[in-house]
Amino acid sequence: MIYTVTFNPSIDYIVRMPRLEPGAINRVTYEDILPGGKGINVSIVLSNLGHESCALGFVAGFTGAEIVRLMQTSGAKSDFIQVAEGMSRINMKIKAAEETEINGIGPKILDSDIEALYARLDALKPGDTLVIAGSVPSMLPSDMYERIMGRLDGRGINIVVDAERDLLVKVLGYHPFLIKPNNHELGAIFGVELATRDEVVPYARKLQEKGARNVLISMAGEGAVLVPESGDVIMSEAPKGTVVNSVGAGDSMVAGFLAGYQESDGDYATAFKMGVATGSASAFSAKLATRPEVEALLKTL
């Protein structure tokens, strides 16, 4: 079973308009409401690909109830902790001549809520996969990644981490199954700029030396690189297409990799190709990737 954790899920209210004029009434030409959060994106894409998962995290209020409903509509399972105080945040994403985002705060999370999350994680079994993705909100301890991975250490659970800088580096000693920085995040860890597929390889190996088992680097138009624990390096150019919306593309790559890994009984090359195709399919679409979109791109790799 695959589980995902999103610490601060959101309702994403997406609007489009020709231009945004501060201080004036702005009329939108398009609007949509989606559940937001990196782990949630992974769960939804897994569902689109025909794989079951369970999304974990914290929700509250009427917006929390809507997140649960939207997850059900997408076909993705969830088992969120219902928080008593506050409401799940609303993030407004304004797509005009320039993109503007206004992000909400989120509910108040108590120690008892954190313990409830731990109880759900304690139920994971050997062979299960846990995806922890995104930032840690201010209402939670800053070392939540470390706490979770320390708690699950040695239990045979494959943990995937998709986070930036210190959040990622500090958990490498727990030997995550997969980490997925992009080339800019990887370069920021080591204070260098990485622009080509060949350039990222030695730095991916440095993260392996620190404890990561498999390192998947997304590089937008440059494609992607996988440095697996087997020692081989797998690279791919980016599939051809027009980028419509890059939000969720990295999360989709993680979902595609896990789907491909399961479907191929652990073949890294197959998992990598599935990840690349799924990430690109989301980037080329207004919404998250579907199975037919992914399979069409797979034929081009």
Side-chain angles (χ1 to χ4, degrees):
M1 184 66 174
I2 300 172
Y3 296 83
T4 66
V5 173
T6 305
F7 294 119
N8 200 9
S10 65
I11 292 289
D12 286 356
Y13 179 47
I14 303 162
V15 299
R16 296 183 187 274
M17 61 187 70
R19 61 186 177 276
L20 175 64
E21 297 184 14
I25 295 175
N26 292 270
R27 307 283 183 186
V28 306
T29 58
Y30 167 91
E31 63 183 354
D32 199 1
I33 291 177
L34 301 171
K38 292 179 71 63
I40 283 175
N41 290 340
V42 172
S43 280
I44 290 174
V45 175
L46 282 168
S47 176
N48 291 349
L49 296 177
H51 289 258
E52 188 177 40
S53 71
C54 182
L56 307 175
F58 306 99
V59 295
F62 77 100
T63 45
E66 181 63 6
I67 291 170
V68 172
R69 189 192 71 80
L70 289 170
M71 292 293 286
Q72 291 173 340
T73 300
S74 72
K77 289 178 57 178
S78 66
D79 189 17
F80 295 114
I81 290 89
Q82 299 287 334
V83 176
E85 188 174 336
M87 69 177 193
S88 293
R89 61 185 177 151
I90 300 173
N91 293 343
M92 188 168 188
K93 301 181 183 296
I94 304 168
K95 300 182 181 297
E98 294 180 333
E99 291 196 9
T100 302
E101 294 192 14
I102 303 172
N103 290 348
I105 300 170
K108 183 177 181 180
I109 299 171
L110 304 177
D111 289 344
S112 57
D113 300 318
I114 296 173
E115 289 300 322
L117 176 62
Y118 288 157
R120 283 163 170 73
L121 295 174
D122 287 343
L124 270 63
K125 299 177 175 61
D128 285 344
T129 297
L130 174 66
V131 179
I132 315 175
S135 60
V136 177
S138 60
M139 69 282 294
L140 287 175
S142 60
D143 61 348
M144 277 297 293
Y145 275 59
E146 295 161 83
R147 294 187 185 199
I148 289 173
M149 295 185 71
R151 192 179 188 97
L152 300 179
D153 193 31
R155 290 182 45 191
I157 296 164
N158 288 325
I159 299 181
V160 178
V161 178
D162 185 1
E164 297 181 14
R165 303 281 306 254
D166 289 349
L167 285 176
L168 176 61
V169 173
K170 288 181 178 179
V171 300
L172 295 179
Y174 293 106
H175 306 291
F177 167 70
L178 178 72
I179 60 173
K180 196 218 67 64
N182 63 39
N183 57 306
H184 303 297
E185 292 163 348
L186 180 61
I189 291 172
F190 295 101
V192 296
E193 290 189 12
L194 303 173
T196 69
R197 292 188 293 274
D198 287 332
E199 287 175 345
V200 305
V201 174
Y203 293 96
R205 293 201 188 280
K206 287 179 183 291
L207 294 184
Q208 284 182 319
E209 291 169 4
K210 293 177 180 292
R213 291 172 55 191
N214 301 286
V215 184
L216 176 61
I217 304 104
S218 57
M219 302 184 68
E222 273 295 306
V225 177
L226 175 67
V227 182
E229 57 188 336
S230 61
D232 299 330
V233 177
I234 309 171
M235 299 184 182
S236 174
E237 296 181 349
K240 298 295 188 291
T242 301
V243 174
V244 175
N245 181 19
S246 61
V247 175
D251 311 323
S252 300
M253 177 178 278
V254 170
F257 182 94
L258 294 176
Y261 189 80
Q262 285 193 345
E263 292 172 14
S264 65
D265 293 324
D267 181 72
Y268 286 123
T270 300
F272 175 69
K273 283 188 175 182
M274 188 77 164
V276 171
T278 307
S280 296
S282 284
F284 299 160
S285 173
K287 294 191 176 182
L288 295 172
T290 63
R291 186 90 196 194
E293 292 169 336
V294 172
E295 290 180 347
L297 287 180
L298 273 173
K299 294 175 182 177
T300 69
L301 294 176

